[in-house]
Amino acid sequence: RTLATVNGNRVYMAGGELNGDNGAAFGASPVQFVSTFRVRHAFISIGAIDAVAGPADNYLAEAEFARMVLTCGENRFILTDSTKFGKRALIKVCDFSDVDVIVSERPPPFDLAGKLAAENVRFDVA
């Protein structure tokens, strides 16, 4: 709602099953909906990020949605917090090569920082 009221923004919302925990909607319908867009910046969040396993999530529908969002963006971002570093989750979201920038409030641990540098993924501390 806030985005729709400033700067002439246009806001689109995907349908699907509403998750009561976080207010997001996931499922086949939102994945199909988002696949029709091409955007300058694509942002996702994840449940875990490990130097070996990569970005992952514990919920299949969320991982599928995030994966599709990344394919739609010219600049692809993961927004996460440091509690996700070194964690593994059940479903792989993407490879590091599918991401341009990862943003968190703290620098990544040494092994993850090395993997990101090797994959040319920029890391920003916000």
Side-chain angles (χ1 to χ4, degrees), residues 107-118:
F110 182 77
D111 63 335
L112 182 56
K115 179 67 172 180
L116 297 176

Side-chain angles (χ1 to χ4, degrees), residues 19-33:
N19 182 323
D21 290 339
N22 61 18
F26 298 105
S29 179
V31 170
Q32 176 61 36
F33 175 78

Side-chain angles (χ1 to χ4, degrees), residues 10 13 17 26 30 33 49 51-52 64 66 85 87 91 101 108 113 115 119 126:
R10 292 183 294 175
M13 296 178 64
E17 182 181 353
F26 298 105
F33 175 78
I49 185 166
V52 175
E64 290 173 338
F85 297 160
K87 303 268 169 100
I91 299 119
V101 182
K115 179 67 172 180
E119 295 283 342

Side-chain angles (χ1 to χ4, degrees), residues 54-70:
D57 209 303
N58 286 307
Y59 302 100
L60 180 60
E62 291 186 39
E64 290 173 338
F65 185 79
R67 196 175 299 121
M68 179 56 70
V69 166
L70 288 176

